[in-house]
Amino acid sequence: QRVVDTQILIGGEHELVALFTGKGPHDRDYKRGATVRFDKGTEPKYIELRIKDSAGKLQPEFEVKVW
């Protein structure tokens, strides 16, 4: 788990794109991604990117939380 500190960004609208590649069941390649758009004001914002295993899909999923 990694939290992205947005203090270095100027105020305004921003977009964060995260890509993840790996090997799945039966040695199959896969690629997953997530995009989040957010408005940055004068206060700091943090973006949490979490990669979760989906047992049903047998692949990882991204969860993105802005706080």
Side-chain angles (χ1 to χ4, degrees):
Q1 176 176 326
R2 177 134 177 128
V3 175
V4 178
D5 182 354
T6 64
Q7 290 182 36
I8 61 172
L9 297 176
I10 61 170
E13 293 183 19
H14 297 276
E15 178 180 73
L16 176 69
V17 178
L19 298 173
F20 180 80
T21 59
K23 294 275 188 186
H26 311 294
D27 206 32
R28 294 181 65 181
D29 293 330
Y30 62 84
K31 184 186 288 189
R32 291 288 174 266
T35 300
V36 62
R37 290 179 179 89
F38 61 96
D39 285 320
K40 167 82 169 56
T42 57
E43 296 296 317
K45 269 193 181 182
Y46 297 92
I47 301 170
E48 179 180 356
L49 302 173
R50 182 179 292 178
I51 302 169
K52 288 181 57 175
D53 184 28
S54 173
K57 295 181 181 178
L58 300 175
Q59 306 181 54
E61 295 179 338
F62 271 125
E63 284 185 0
V64 181
K65 179 180 176 184
V66 179
W67 46 278

